[in-house]
Amino acid sequence: MERKTKQREAVLQVLLTENRPLSPPEILDVAQALVPRLGIATVYRAIKEFLESGDVVSVDLPGEGQRFEIMGKRHHHHFLCRLCRKLYEVNGCPGTLDALPPPEGFLVEIHEILLKGICVSCA
Amino acid sequence: MERKTKQREAVLQVLLTENRPLSPPEILDVAQALVPRLGIATVYRAIKEFLESGDVVSVDLPGEGQRFEIMGKRHHHHFLCRLCRKLYEVNGCPGTLDALPPPEGFLVEIHEILLKGICVSCA
DNA sequence: TAATAACTGATAATCTGATATCAATAGCCG
DNA sequence: CGGCTATTGATATCAGATTATCAGTTATTA
């Protein structure tokens, strides 16, 4: 990434304003309001560059494609709506998960919690 | 599923003896000890039938393909080793996850917790 | 503004996981 | 056992998600 283009700015802007993890097609949809002729390939290219630069991180979900969110948020988890498939942020964390002891000798480095249900706009 | 075949028995047997969620290729690997000429298509067919009959359930993981485990276990979560990518069962559950309140108006139906780290055989 | 090279958009190609095809095999029944 | 037909294995095909290609466009610098 050497030049500043409206396409890349749009991708980053969309991730900032939506403030939740977005899939590449979701990014495309929203960003086309800013750059009408934006193509999916450019979205993928921009994501790749932002991942390398560390401005964006990927969020993996069970049975869903990769989504991407702005780097630098504090530890948080996610809520997936089973109707609209939108992913939301959930602040807070139960902490050490002592209630969930792994088998003897296993080293837990990371925990991921995903809440599933129905979001407020689908309720 | 109308006939009893050694291929289908082998798939179910592997899931029972391994006692952790397995991917189709993992099932194939292990089951070929029981049925040497077993093919991947048959593994997929057997899984599909066991899913329909309810003998097997699928386990989705972030960024990983589907895995399958024997139905009827009690509520539990999983541990994924980041080195060998094997998935293990973790008994217990923190319960209601009150420490993780979703946004106002959101209805939580399911929670999934995935622990990641290093398993005992990779440590 | 002109030159240059990075960037873009449209689409083809690729990759991976899962399914369909089809001839050969093998349960199950009489 | 013999015949019927579900099942199998090898492989082709498909579906989707991501990446490569390449001609045209545009940001940058002098």
Side-chain angles (χ1 to χ4, degrees), chain A residues 60-64 66, chain B residues 61-65 85:
Chain A
D60 291 328
L61 292 181
E64 299 268 318
Q66 269 191 314
Chain B
L61 290 181
E64 300 267 318
R85 300 264 114 191

Side-chain angles (χ1 to χ4, degrees), chain B residues 19-36:
Chain B
N19 200 39
R20 59 187 187 82
L22 298 174
S23 66
E26 279 178 322
I27 295 170
L28 180 66
D29 277 351
V30 182
Q32 281 183 334
L34 306 174
V35 181

Side-chain angles (χ1 to χ4, degrees), chain A residues 48-72:
Chain A
K48 193 174 196 179
E49 287 156 359
F50 290 136
L51 284 174
E52 284 165 6
S53 70
D55 293 316
V56 163
V57 295
S58 88
V59 175
D60 291 328
L61 292 181
E64 299 268 318
Q66 269 191 314
R67 308 199 186 191
F68 303 91
E69 68 182 359
I70 291 294
M71 162 67 186

Side-chain angles (χ1 to χ4, degrees), chain B residues 3-4 6 24 41 44-45 48 66:
Chain B
R3 291 179 187 175
K4 180 192 223 180
K6 58 175 79 76
Y44 277 106
R45 283 188 284 242
K48 193 174 196 178
Q66 270 191 314

Side-chain angles (χ1 to χ4, degrees), chain B residues 9-51:
Chain B
E9 285 190 331
V11 168
L12 205 54
Q13 191 56 46
V14 165
L15 287 170
L16 282 165
T17 57
E18 291 289 310
N19 200 39
R20 59 187 187 82
L22 298 174
S23 66
E26 279 178 322
I27 295 170
L28 180 66
D29 277 351
V30 182
Q32 281 183 334
L34 306 174
V35 181
R37 303 188 52 68
L38 184 64
I40 188 67
T42 298
V43 172
Y44 277 106
R45 283 188 284 242
I47 290 169
K48 193 174 196 178
E49 286 156 0
F50 290 136
L51 283 174

